[in-house]
Amino acid sequence: MEIGPILRALWHNKLGAMLIAVQIAVTMTVIINAIFIINERSRLMARPSGLEEANLFHLTSVGYGDDFNEQVTSDDDLNMLRQLPGVVNATAVNAIPVSGSGSSTGVRIDMDDRTANVGTAIYRVDEQVFDTLGLNFIAGEGFDVTDMRYRSSAGTTDADKVVMTEALAAILFPDLTPNEVIGETLYTDQVTALQIVGIVERLQAPWPSWENVESSVLIPEQFLDTYSLYVVRTEPGQRDQVMRAAEDLLAGSGADRVIRGVNSLEQTRSETYGADSALSSILKTVVVTLVFINSMGIVGLAVFSINKRRKQIGTRRALGASKFEILRYFLLENLLITTVGVLVGAVLTIALSIVLTTNFNMPAMAWYYAPLGALALIAIGQLAALGPSVRATTITPATATRTV
Amino acid sequence: MLQMNNVSKVFRTDTVQTSALKDFSLTVDEGEFVTITGPSGCGKTTFLNIAGLLETYTSGTYLLDGVDVSQLGDFQRARLRNEKIGFIFQSFNLMPDLNLFDNVDVPLRYRGMKASERKPLIENALESVGLASRMKHLPAQLSGGQQQRVAIARALVGSPLFLLADEPTGNLDSNTALGVMELLQEINDKGTTIIMVTHDQLLAKQSQRNIHILDGRISTGDQAEALAPAAEVA
């Protein structure tokens, strides 16, 4: 191997090699952090919401007029929706998970210690919500119709039961099993005492980027106002046609109201994660572009370097180098330049990651990103240099005796 | 040692066919100092390329140290070049980014020798051309004559069967050329066979035998005869 002479030769003619090494280092720094961000976003987007999203849609009814009766309209709407062909169940809620819009509150187990409040999403629901959303109980049970309480301008009766997610139970009762949590009392910000009757495996909050996104409580309580939000679960494969039928059904029911916001849960998720998805797409484009530019830089340097050294290559062949030894020389030279680039790049990658973690509240990059990125860039570099290096082997030894 | 019988070399393009060597026959024995002369385009370099296994030939036979080279593949020809032939080029052909030590080291590396075996050979070769003290210098830091001496050291370092020199003094002034020629004579006196292509009739006269080429063939006319006494001078 000719590592020593190659390094010494590069040292005497270092500008081109240094530029490529710097390009590789910068490329590595950007693409490794970009790939980490892409993966992090993908992981966030892939988290299950706890719902059977493929078969769910939601729609909003907004009443108007003096004769509009909120409770009657809501009960009638839910009855009509449940009888619609293709519908499994329907429920009224105050917010849609992963929609970006909803309510939160603080909950604690010690009534007097407000400092122990844990932030959680609060869903005000009816007793059909568990079946409609497809929530999975790991302890206890849901509500029945007698548990329902209503809030309106005429008066308010507070609910006294609650179902929470497993993640919230683990925060509030770290030493208890889910079954042991059933029957315990929970206090809200408003010092309402709620008896815990059930724990569901998962129900995400409406805000995906919230740190407490896995903490949610469900309370059997409804606001009686002109605004009603319904979630409908359909038979598999019938969601889209049922969506249209449900909209027509409610719009033609004769009540003084408008129907709007008819969307599948998948649409809602897509809109909520739109910025993340767009960022991922932009970063993927940046990664591909940088890898391409980097590869072209290596190809360019290799082609330039080989064209400049045609006579040297011919001389080496005349002095006894085989074609393989010429190929090995140029691949080794490229490997050394790339290795310097990725070593500098690894330091810069970690430094940028620390900056992002410190200043932008991003999670720390896993240790294996830098070495895997370095190996990938070395492989890409060798592939880029392979074509020009193979061309170098076609330079004949007789080139050594040519004067032009 | 080197035996060519009726060797021909034809260069073909789609429309043109050029015979660079025609039925060229030559035998060079061990220890000889042979010069090849002739006008530009006569086939001197083609002969040198074929003799040095830098190029293949179209017909005829060429035995190098008893080996029929027509049967060899690219790899075997490279090995044979490395082990049997030392090249000296008109433009020296040193690697500009390598110091003298690394330049002389090039052919030995292709021989697969260990660093500990190569080092004394390189030092001896540079010593023999009077440049041992400058082995860390780059070629650009040397004069033309010194660069050619480095090239001679590189050609000699692997103890080849013979040296092929292509206009070794062509890029040097007359005084420096004389010095290089004296060095080549010394090398020949120590037993190394030398085949040298040159334009310079005075240098050709210093060799033991001169071969004059005209139109791809060995000339038997006045030119060769005029140089014949040169063998006695040498």
Side-chain angles (χ1 to χ4, degrees), chain A residues 8 316-317 319-320 400-401, chain B residues 49 74 81-82 93 102 110:
Chain A
R8 288 192 285 277
R316 283 181 181 276
R317 293 279 282 133
L319 297 178
T401 59
Chain B
N49 285 347
D74 185 82
R81 278 197 298 273
N82 181 259
N93 291 21
D102 284 335
Y110 296 132

Side-chain angles (χ1 to χ4, degrees), chain B residues 9-30:
Chain B
K9 176 68 180 180
V10 179
F11 293 102
R12 290 190 179 90
T13 66
D14 290 341
T15 53
V16 181
Q17 179 171 304
T18 308
S19 290
L21 279 187
K22 299 167 190 166
D23 293 328
F24 191 95
S25 296
L26 175 69
T27 299
V28 177
D29 293 323
E30 195 171 340

Side-chain angles (χ1 to χ4, degrees), chain A residues 35-53:
Chain A
I35 287 170
F36 173 68
I37 292 170
I38 291 168
N39 286 346
E40 191 58 23
R41 300 283 161 162
S42 298
R43 186 186 65 77
L44 291 177
M45 287 190 281
R47 290 173 307 182
S49 63
L51 312 180
E52 281 200 10
E53 293 183 27

Side-chain angles (χ1 to χ4, degrees), chain A residues 308-327:
Chain A
K308 200 176 102 180
R309 290 188 280 181
R310 289 183 66 82
K311 188 118 182 170
Q312 285 186 43
I313 295 165
T315 303
R316 283 181 181 276
R317 293 279 282 133
L319 297 178
S322 65
K323 288 182 174 181
F324 171 74
E325 283 160 337
I326 295 295
L327 178 72

